[in-house]
Amino acid sequence: MPTKAQILRELRLDKRLTQQEVAESMGISQASFSGIEHGYKPRAIDEALRTINRKRTRTDRTDGGSVKAGRLKG
């Protein structure tokens, strides 16, 4: 069974978000977010999951720049 930190990483990747993008939305540094994603800050994982679920999916630049909205379960 995956850990919450592993789920967090998968959700971020599924939405094609960088650690920097999520960190900025949370008001923290990329290094701090990396620590959350690696499970070093377990209390912050739920906040990070909520932040990612609020973000829109970033699509590849080759699709004309369209963005599709969506929430991922976690």
Side-chain angles (χ1 to χ4, degrees):
M1 175 177 268
T3 65
K4 276 190 171 183
Q6 290 168 329
I7 291 168
L8 173 65
R9 178 178 166 75
E10 287 302 315
L11 286 174
R12 179 180 62 78
L13 293 174
D14 285 347
K15 286 202 170 195
R16 296 181 180 102
L17 297 167
T18 65
Q19 286 186 344
Q20 183 66 38
E21 289 169 322
V22 178
E24 286 174 4
S25 293
M26 294 178 68
I28 61 174
S29 69
Q30 179 275 326
S32 291
F33 182 79
S34 178
I36 294 168
E37 197 171 80
H38 283 91
Y40 302 138
K41 301 178 181 184
R43 292 184 196 160
I45 290 175
D46 289 330
E47 179 184 350
L49 287 168
R50 286 190 299 273
T51 299
I52 288 173
N53 273 323
R54 286 192 303 264
K55 301 285 283 180
R56 291 182 165 203
T57 300
R58 192 179 80 186
T59 59
D60 293 333
R61 296 176 195 265
T62 58
D63 72 353
S66 66
V67 177
K68 60 183 177 183
R71 292 179 64 88
L72 297 174
K73 296 176 186 171

